[in-house]
Amino acid sequence: MTLFIVHSAYVFQISRATALEVKKKDFIRAARSRGVSERTIMLTHVRRNALIPVVTVGGELFASLFAGLAFVETIFARPGIGRLLTEAAISFEVLTLSGLVLLIAAVMLLVNIVVDIIYSYLDPRILLWDNGKSERGE
């Protein structure tokens, strides 16, 4: 929670800025001109399009949480991966350091995959993989 509180203001700021930017787009004006209610516009059109930058920032902030783990765990005297990584670095335990770096890299890879899956859910035009068919028909 300590690490989240620090970054939550940034996430909220990005959320608000992107929502305001999306509300100015032409497709929002077109939906309003068709008589779609403001609630429906906000819940369907604005939310989905505004969440893409928020998901990007969320993935990056999750990566930065690992950087702050060692600091917070040391200050609050809590056992955890960050503190174990710090102690292994101080005592030159190469195997422990290698394992923890591998674990953190695997978590980062998993977070990036989840972010890509969320992208394709929020915007179906974003493909997870290309099955050999390009837009030009080649």
Side-chain angles (χ1 to χ4, degrees):
M1 286 301 290
T2 304
L3 295 171
F4 175 74
I5 290 171
V6 171
H7 297 297
S8 64
Y10 181 62
V11 173
F12 293 141
Q13 181 182 11
I14 294 292
S15 302
R16 182 179 183 277
T18 55
L20 290 175
E21 187 176 317
V22 169
K23 284 175 72 173
K24 296 177 185 176
K25 300 283 184 175
D26 290 336
F27 67 93
I28 299 295
R29 276 188 284 177
R32 283 191 181 118
S33 68
R34 287 191 308 263
V36 179
S37 70
E38 195 66 29
R39 179 180 175 155
T40 304
I41 289 173
M42 289 300 291
L43 290 177
T44 57
H45 301 296
V46 173
R47 182 184 58 166
R48 280 190 111 162
N49 289 289
L51 277 178
I52 292 175
V54 175
V55 169
T56 303
V57 169
E60 292 172 0
L61 288 179
F62 188 81
S64 72
L65 289 179
F66 276 108
L69 276 179
F71 181 71
V72 171
E73 288 173 359
T74 303
I75 289 205
F76 292 114
R78 305 290 296 176
I81 292 177
R83 189 167 178 189
L84 180 62
L85 187 65
T86 304
E87 291 174 359
I90 291 171
S91 62
F92 298 109
E93 296 178 23
V94 177
L95 291 177
T96 306
L97 278 173
S98 300
L100 288 174
V101 168
L102 183 65
L103 175 69
I104 291 171
V107 170
M108 291 296 106
L109 181 67
L110 183 65
V111 167
N112 285 326
I113 290 171
V114 169
V115 166
D116 287 343
I117 290 171
I118 292 172
Y119 279 167
S120 67
Y121 173 74
L122 291 174
D123 190 357
R125 296 174 294 178
I126 300 173
L127 299 175
L128 287 178
W129 61 85
D130 187 13
N131 59 0
K133 300 177 185 175
S134 67
E135 292 181 13
R136 295 177 289 189
E138 296 176 356

